[in-house]
Amino acid sequence: AQVSGTIMCREAYAQFGQLVDNDELPLDPYSRAFVLRGRQIDQRSYDAALVKRKELQAGFRAALSGFDAFLTPTTQTGPVPLEGLDQRQTPSHFTRFANILDLCAIALRDGSTAKDLPTSLQIASLPGREETVLRIARAYQAETGWHRRRPQELD
């Protein structure tokens, strides 16, 4: 998370700093704060994070050798109602690592909460294995049919 946050904030500020530095622009306060954190990240810290990312990628690729893919929940909880959303918390616990490790991944519905809200499954694999991830996802959907189900309240 620290490596990912350092890289994301630094790169976000490099791209959008001129927007978030302008207090007159109507930006989401949580997004503005996230991007502004990148202003404080020096080149040395950013470079160290890039090196660490390469190490993490190499270690993960070695650990996954011999496997086609791995599956995780997409989030730790079901969907959060907008009125209960806390943008200071990230629901990306299980998905952010796919970005930092440069993996290919897909999320697809795999069930429902007690309140009939959709839950999802992440299928991930090493870079360049998109066809494998999609093949597994298609097979899962063919067997389960979750992608065809709609919450009761929408029917």
Side-chain angles (χ1 to χ4, degrees):
Q2 183 178 359
V3 172
S4 178
T6 297
I7 293 170
M8 284 192 304
C9 289
R10 174 68 187 251
E11 292 178 356
Y13 188 75
Q15 290 294 315
F16 304 109
Q18 73 280 5
L19 298 175
V20 299
D21 285 336
N22 183 346
D23 291 332
E24 294 179 17
L25 292 176
L27 300 175
D28 174 76
Y30 298 107
S31 298
R32 184 186 301 270
F34 175 83
V35 175
L36 282 174
R37 283 187 280 182
R39 183 168 49 189
Q40 307 303 317
I41 299 169
D42 61 27
Q43 188 66 42
R44 184 176 173 179
S45 298
Y46 176 67
D47 290 344
L50 292 176
V51 168
K52 183 64 177 173
R53 177 175 66 180
K54 289 285 186 197
E55 293 170 3
L56 292 169
Q57 288 171 336
F60 194 82
R61 287 182 179 130
L64 201 61
S65 69
F67 294 93
D68 291 326
F70 64 98
L71 287 62
T72 67
T74 304
T75 60
Q76 293 174 297
T77 65
V80 178
L82 286 177
E83 60 271 4
L85 185 63
D86 181 354
Q87 291 190 52
R88 294 169 296 183
Q89 302 294 322
T90 177
S92 61
H93 178 80
F94 293 117
T95 58
R96 183 171 285 174
F97 73 92
N99 291 328
I100 195 74
L101 296 175
D102 197 26
L103 305 175
C104 60
I106 190 170
L108 54 145
R109 186 165 179 189
D110 70 343
S112 296
T113 65
K115 293 184 178 182
D116 200 32
L117 296 173
T119 59
S120 59
L121 168 73
Q122 174 179 240
I123 302 169
S125 191
L126 297 176
R129 293 190 181 169
E130 290 84 358
E131 187 175 315
T132 298
V133 167
L134 292 171
R135 182 177 43 79
I136 294 168
R138 179 177 288 172
Y140 180 82
Q141 286 186 329
E143 289 297 317
T144 66
W146 278 111
H147 61 291
R148 291 188 203 96
R149 298 182 190 185
R150 295 179 48 165
Q152 298 270 339
E153 62 190 52
L154 296 177
D155 292 332

